[in-house]
Amino acid sequence: MKTKIVYSEKCLGYGTWHVEGPQRVKVAHDILESKGYEIVKPQPATEDELLSVHDMEYLWNLKKGLVEDPDTPAYDNIFEFARLSVGGALLASKIGGFSIMRPPGHHAGRNGAALGVYTRGFCYLNNLAVAVKESGKRTLILDIDGHHGNGTQEIFQGYKKVSYVSLHQSPNYPGTGTFTEGNCINFALPPNCGGKIYIETFEKALGMVDADKFESVAVSAGFDTHMGDLASLGLLEQDYFQLGKLIGQLKKQSFFVLEGGYVGENVGGDIDSFLRGYEENR
Ligand SMILES: [Zn+2]
């Protein structure tokens, strides 16, 4: 059975001029719908759910429009958009679905910018982290976005129920994730390293964790590793099939949350390819 796509067109309502703009998700949605995926709508996360990860003061400031940096504007009502995107991750976690909601989340730490990084990199609330915390499950987080998820690492560093694995381009924003630290396993890869090296590295990373320990797999699914995108590792549509296959072979209850990926045509095609690989092997 096909994985359900979590989406609401409400997420298109901000940031038309920004690289993290509505088109990337709108086009991806239209491609996935045309391929027969069932689309389900999320509800906004509650403040209690957000507080499992974020501090009250940060939430308050975000709501008041007081948090802004050069990458991550204080759009009107951004708190509501971000809260609905967290709701997407929560629903995906409950139904084993794939949330394509925006804004993305993996650079957002407890109080915004994480691990001493200057900007929040288009992220406001850490969608996936809230879903993992709220599930209460022992979770393996696989971050396949082309940037290091410094927010997610900050939130789960030393947290016993979670291991975090990230493959990302280096050097690039945010500059963290250059070494492995306890339960946070990081692989920094050179730009455009290509599918072969990427998949070999991913297999090596999976070999470093004991999958039997985990009840759930949560994937920070960014597609800016696609050839030519913001953190290109030179990957093409068929490489995401292989990646989905490796995750399916873990035979765990899994869910997926969109992070980056800035060309909608690629994002839609890559998600379909990834999910076909996952579904054939889970
Ligand atoms: Zn990214």
Side-chain angles (χ1 to χ4, degrees):
M1 202 169 103
K2 277 193 172 184
T3 303
K4 289 180 181 149
I5 302 297
V6 179
Y7 172 78
S8 158
E9 63 188 15
K10 285 184 185 159
C11 81
L12 306 178
Y14 72 92
T16 47
W17 53 273
H18 197 286
V19 61
E20 196 290 286
Q23 276 305 103
R24 55 186 288 267
V25 163
K26 166 89 173 71
V27 173
H29 161 268
D30 293 350
I31 290 171
L32 293 166
E33 191 176 50
S34 76
K35 287 182 184 288
Y37 287 89
E38 188 183 335
I39 314 286
V40 291
K41 281 191 179 149
Q43 294 297 318
T46 65
E47 285 198 27
D48 276 350
E49 287 166 333
L50 301 181
L51 285 167
S52 67
V53 163
H54 296 287
D55 286 354
M56 179 70 96
E57 195 183 354
Y58 175 65
L59 297 180
W60 180 256
N61 287 333
L62 195 58
K63 209 185 292 182
K64 294 274 172 193
L66 299 174
V67 205
E68 184 154 41
D69 66 54
D71 289 339
T72 324
Y75 297 110
D76 286 348
N77 296 321
I78 189 60
F79 181 73
E80 293 304 321
F81 289 110
R83 200 153 82 89
L84 188 57
S85 188
V86 176
L90 285 163
L91 179 57
S93 141
K94 286 184 188 115
I95 64 171
F98 193 130
S99 174
I100 59 168
M101 294 292 287
R102 59 190 281 266
H106 73 153
H107 298 303
R110 274 180 215 97
N111 295 298
L115 301 180
V117 174
Y118 179 59
T119 86
R120 291 166 296 154
F122 322 157
C123 300
Y124 299 84
L125 299 169
N126 198 314
N127 309 314
L128 177 135
V130 174
V132 168
K133 270 277 180 77
E134 285 294 306
S135 79
K137 291 186 176 137
R138 293 189 304 276
T139 303
L140 173 60
I141 299 174
L142 301 173
D143 189 330
I144 59 167
D145 187 87
H147 301 94
H148 179 238
N150 55 316
T152 311
Q153 172 158 333
E154 182 192 88
I155 290 159
F156 291 111
Q157 185 88 64
Y159 188 71
K160 293 224 170 1
K161 282 180 150 179
V162 167
S163 283
Y164 172 77
V165 172
S166 176
L167 271 64
H168 44 268
Q169 194 200 70
S170 178
N172 198 332
Y173 173 86
T176 51
T178 54
F179 57 94
T180 288
E181 218 177 339
N183 64 330
C184 297
I185 298 164
N186 290 310
F187 284 92
L189 292 165
N192 296 312
C193 64
K196 187 170 179 293
I197 288 178
Y198 187 90
I199 293 295
E200 283 169 8
T201 309
F202 193 77
E203 287 177 315
K204 188 172 155 188
L206 290 182
M208 291 171 70
V209 292
D210 177 9
D212 291 343
K213 244 176 57 175
F214 300 102
E215 300 163 276
S216 171
V217 173
V219 183
S220 250
F223 295 89
D224 48 15
T225 49
H226 193 108
M227 179 83 84
D229 208 324
L230 287 189
S232 175
L233 293 174
L235 302 192
L236 300 170
E237 208 172 286
Q238 62 266 29
D239 296 315
Y240 298 101
F241 182 92
Q242 294 303 321
L243 198 47
K245 182 174 161 180
L246 290 171
I247 294 171
Q249 284 169 349
L250 294 173
K251 310 285 180 198
K252 295 282 169 188
Q253 186 191 327
S254 304
F255 70 98
F256 314 91
V257 180
L258 183 66
E259 301 289 354
Y262 298 94
V263 182
E265 288 78 8
N266 293 342
V267 174
D270 292 346
I271 291 176
D272 175 52
S273 180
F274 174 85
L275 286 177
R276 280 188 290 110
Y278 168 70
E279 283 158 9
E280 280 179 23
N281 292 281
R282 66 172 156 166

